[in-house]
Amino acid sequence: MQTVKQPLNGQQAYTRLSALCARSEHCQQDMLDKMRQWGVAEAEQAQVMARLVKEQYVDDARYARAFANDKVHYDRWGRRKVEQALHQKRIDPAVCRDVLDAVPPQDYVDALMPLLQQKRHTTKANSPYELNQKLIRYALSRGYDMEIIRQCIDVEDEDEFLD
């Protein structure tokens, strides 16, 4: 028989969430989702969230910067994919735009080049045109803009002719 968990009150939720935020960055939407999951009353959710923001445990702009940095440099996501993920987290579009504009375009190129080189070696195609189309689709699925993709594909093609 499954026991029903007791819903948390505002103070208990604040204690848990502040400890969670002290360990890693989280956005307001993450915190609201957790409180709903724990059964915290709506009015208490607003109070807890206001306190977390006031005490700077939660800062959506700081979260967005850390998230974008991690996704571009470690997971090698393109701008569009990062932007979509931040939108799903309900981060303010102005904050997203500022954060993503701060990432230099060269960082996207540096992230995409090794991905395309690796993908080029494992992709089967009947012609160079077909191979480039497959690489473009792959890069688009990773969230890269066509301009960045073209830069990387053009460099790849030039390298192929030099060999």
Side-chain angles (χ1 to χ4, degrees):
M1 184 172 159
Q2 191 175 16
T3 59
V4 177
K5 289 186 178 180
Q6 193 74 15
L8 298 181
N9 65 33
Q11 184 57 43
Q12 292 169 322
Y14 171 78
T15 303
R16 281 190 185 182
L17 293 176
S18 60
L20 187 65
C21 290
R23 288 192 299 271
S24 63
E25 290 293 337
H26 294 278
C27 64
Q28 290 185 32
Q29 189 60 43
D30 290 345
M31 301 295 96
L32 290 171
D33 290 345
K34 288 235 182 265
M35 287 190 279
R36 270 189 225 105
Q37 189 178 22
W38 295 336
V40 178
E42 292 280 330
E44 288 182 317
Q45 285 181 25
Q47 291 173 345
V48 170
M49 186 53 61
R51 187 172 172 195
L52 288 170
V53 169
K54 180 181 173 226
E55 295 176 4
Q56 297 182 345
Y57 281 110
V58 175
D59 181 353
D60 280 353
R62 188 177 64 215
Y63 171 80
R65 280 191 303 276
F67 183 87
N69 183 52
D70 286 353
K71 295 304 178 185
V72 169
H73 293 106
Y74 300 113
D75 295 338
R76 297 181 183 193
W77 285 9
R79 180 185 174 113
R80 291 177 187 265
K81 191 167 182 176
V82 174
E83 190 172 31
Q84 186 63 35
L86 290 172
H87 176 74
Q88 286 179 330
K89 297 276 190 178
R90 294 192 175 106
I91 304 294
D92 180 32
V95 171
C96 291
R97 196 171 27 260
D98 292 344
V99 165
L100 292 171
D101 287 346
V103 177
Q106 188 60 42
D107 287 1
Y108 294 116
V109 171
D110 293 344
L112 182 58
M113 285 296 284
L115 287 175
L116 289 179
Q117 287 172 348
Q118 184 178 15
K119 189 72 172 172
R120 186 178 289 267
H121 296 300
T122 61
T123 302
K124 293 184 173 108
N126 295 326
S127 68
Y129 176 79
E130 184 182 352
L131 177 62
N132 281 346
Q133 292 304 307
K134 288 182 178 186
L135 293 174
I136 288 169
R137 277 195 300 276
Y138 172 71
L140 286 170
S141 75
R142 300 283 302 198
Y144 289 94
D145 293 330
M146 202 59 202
E147 181 182 324
I148 303 282
I149 296 169
R150 278 202 182 102
Q151 285 178 12
C152 294
I153 295 259
D154 289 346
V155 168
E156 290 273 321
D157 289 343
E158 287 173 13
D159 290 346
E160 205 169 278
F161 290 122
L162 295 175
D163 289 339

